[in-house]
Amino acid sequence: MKARIAVLPGDGIGPEVIAEGVRCLRALAERHGHELILTELPFGGAAIDLAGTPLPEDTLAACLQADAVLLGAIGGPKWSAPEATVRPEQGLLALRRALGVYANLRPVKVHPALLGASTLKPQVLEGVDLLFVRELTGGIYFGEKRREPDSATDVCTYTVAEIERIVRAAARLAQKRRRKLVSIDKSNVLETSRLWRAVATRIMRTEFPQIALEHMLVDSAAMHLIRRPSDFDVLVTENMFGDILTDEASMLAGSLGLLPSASLGEGTRGLYEPIHGSAPDIAGRGIANPCGTLLSVALLLRHSLGLEREAAALERAVSAAIEQGARTPDIAAKGARAISTREVGEAVLAKL
Ligand code: NAD
């Protein structure tokens, strides 16, 4: 197959982890006879330095023409001064909006060899394999904001159509997994949540009767996520609840550096990125964990290019490399030697 991929390394450790992602992508394409056209483009703080804006026109145009976008991470102290009016994060919000990616997928799997890497007890983590589906372009983050001298207001709005499409996206994913969907809301307090619950119930009853639906209040979900995380299969929720709960869930795996994400809209084009930020504290030292990026590449192969075999091969290679001790300092076992970003990339390539 032939596909176009826009590659946005970004800032901090972004370029370090993306370099490994690109190497694996090229290796897989060569091995399986695919023609992938990869174009690297400035984005985030790097683009502010270069062009005065975090999302230059050429970068946006290339992303809109691509079959998929692979992103490292953006941001850092250099662009975070309180008085700064141009910020890397503006580029990310604008890019998500332009691509129309409303569903953010974050799979969280606990690798058996890394049960000790989390702050939670190993017996709680055994068998954890869940998928968060977060609504990404609606809700309180995008509502009207007002500031008065002694008050402030953020408006939270959801339309029926916005809820329907995200619930359907989650249900389709649940269908290919263990057929359990938990819909998270705060319907005892919020009107938007009461609408959310009513729409989710209707969509699931009429279109996906074979999937078990459970409703859960967000506070209760926060508790159950660390009490019995292996019970969950697919979870769907609105933008802000998802923002908070997915960070909580990421800690089940032991390191931010391990987890991938995919942001999808209608059609197959998507935006793929590890869930971590630019990690300025370790940038430039060659010790960032590239696994979150490599697993994001696997999601790209699966969801945007339809290459399930290649995606699964990459996931198996990452897992096998970790199993055999290819680990950066964030997940190295006590007393074991940690290796570099590049060496982990090489170990995964060798497995491929
Ligand atoms: P962060 O995710 O960059 O780092 C948090 C901690 O996790 C740090 O100690 C870091 O060293 C560690 N870490 C992160 N990724 C790692 C990896 N791959 N391997 C090993 N360790 C890793 O979050 P932060 O420090 O809160 O934010 C730093 C900057 O990143 C900020 O400017 C923030 O705005 C930005 N940010 C960007 C994104 C994004 O690009 N989507 C997401 C979150 C934060």
Side-chain angles (χ1 to χ4, degrees):
M1 73 139 8
K2 193 171 166 178
R4 225 174 253 284
I5 297 165
V7 180
L8 317 179
D11 309 314
I13 61 170
E16 300 170 37
V17 291
I18 284 294
E20 301 315 313
V22 164
R23 270 167 13 114
C24 284
L25 200 47
R26 286 195 196 285
L28 274 167
E30 198 172 309
R31 155 86 51 102
H32 296 271
H34 304 304
E35 188 186 339
L36 300 185
I37 303 163
L38 307 184
T39 315
E40 243 179 61
L41 299 142
F43 184 58
I48 293 177
D49 290 354
L50 210 69
T53 165
L55 179 58
E57 266 174 40
D58 287 354
T59 299
L60 177 58
C63 291
L64 290 171
Q65 279 161 18
D67 297 295
V69 181
L70 178 64
L71 166 65
I74 50 148
K78 184 174 176 192
W79 308 280
S80 304
E83 64 276 12
T85 51
V86 183
R87 292 171 172 276
E89 294 75 15
Q90 294 163 345
L92 191 54
L93 286 184
L95 181 61
R96 285 175 180 161
R97 204 172 307 127
L99 292 172
V101 287
Y102 60 80
N104 181 236
L105 277 51
R106 286 193 184 190
V108 178
K109 226 176 185 168
V110 179
H111 193 289
L114 295 179
L115 282 174
S118 169
T119 48
L120 297 183
K121 289 186 185 128
Q123 61 266 35
V124 176
L125 297 170
E126 241 161 77
V128 168
D129 178 5
L130 59 85
L131 172 63
F132 252 104
V133 181
R134 165 190 169 194
E135 203 290 326
L136 199 58
T137 54
I140 198 165
Y141 290 0
F142 287 86
E144 187 200 339
K145 295 171 194 319
R146 267 198 325 272
R147 182 73 177 262
E148 309 290 342
D150 55 1
S151 71
T153 309
D154 296 283
V155 176
C156 183
T157 305
Y158 267 108
T159 65
V160 169
E162 281 173 323
I163 302 167
E164 284 177 345
R165 68 181 183 181
I166 191 77
V167 170
R168 282 197 185 105
R172 284 188 209 112
L173 291 158
Q175 212 152 24
K176 294 188 206 144
R177 295 175 46 106
R178 302 197 303 277
R179 297 190 171 195
K180 289 202 301 188
L181 181 67
V182 172
S183 172
I184 298 166
D185 61 41
K186 187 71 184 169
S187 61
N188 51 346
V189 179
L190 299 177
E191 204 51 49
T192 41
S193 280
R194 283 192 271 273
L195 178 67
W196 182 284
R197 191 172 281 218
V199 172
T201 303
R202 170 173 56 79
I203 293 289
M204 296 308 293
R205 188 175 298 150
T206 55
E207 298 177 27
F208 302 92
Q210 69 283 23
I211 294 176
L213 171 69
E214 184 185 348
H215 296 288
M216 203 175 272
L217 295 174
V218 61
D219 37 353
S220 175
M223 185 263 291
H224 286 300
L225 261 177
I226 50 171
R227 199 172 76 91
R228 47 175 187 93
S230 59
D231 283 357
F232 290 100
D233 181 17
V234 180
L235 307 92
V236 63
T237 192
E238 58 124 284
N239 203 343
M240 183 167 70
F241 297 159
D243 191 9
I244 299 165
L245 292 179
T246 51
D247 259 30
E248 182 192 2
S250 75
M251 280 297 98
L252 301 169
S255 170
L256 278 180
L258 285 168
L259 296 175
S261 80
S263 300
L264 306 173
E266 300 303 339
T268 58
R269 187 178 56 202
L271 170 66
Y272 301 84
E273 52 178 321
I275 71 156
H276 60 74
S278 59
D281 54 334
I282 58 165
R285 292 170 50 199
I287 56 165
N289 191 336
C291 293
T293 302
L294 298 176
L295 296 172
S296 300
V297 168
L299 294 179
L300 182 158
L301 291 163
R302 174 173 296 125
H303 294 290
S304 282
L305 308 190
L307 299 175
E308 175 58 38
R309 191 170 49 134
E310 288 80 346
L314 182 51
E315 284 167 349
R316 275 197 308 274
V318 170
S319 184
I322 291 175
E323 179 88 40
Q324 290 184 4
R327 301 185 196 171
T328 41
D330 55 312
I331 53 167
K334 245 197 176 141
R337 189 177 84 89
I339 61 174
S340 68
T341 310
R342 173 47 52 98
E343 287 171 309
V344 172
E346 308 246 293
V348 173
L349 269 178
K351 293 288 169 203
L352 275 178

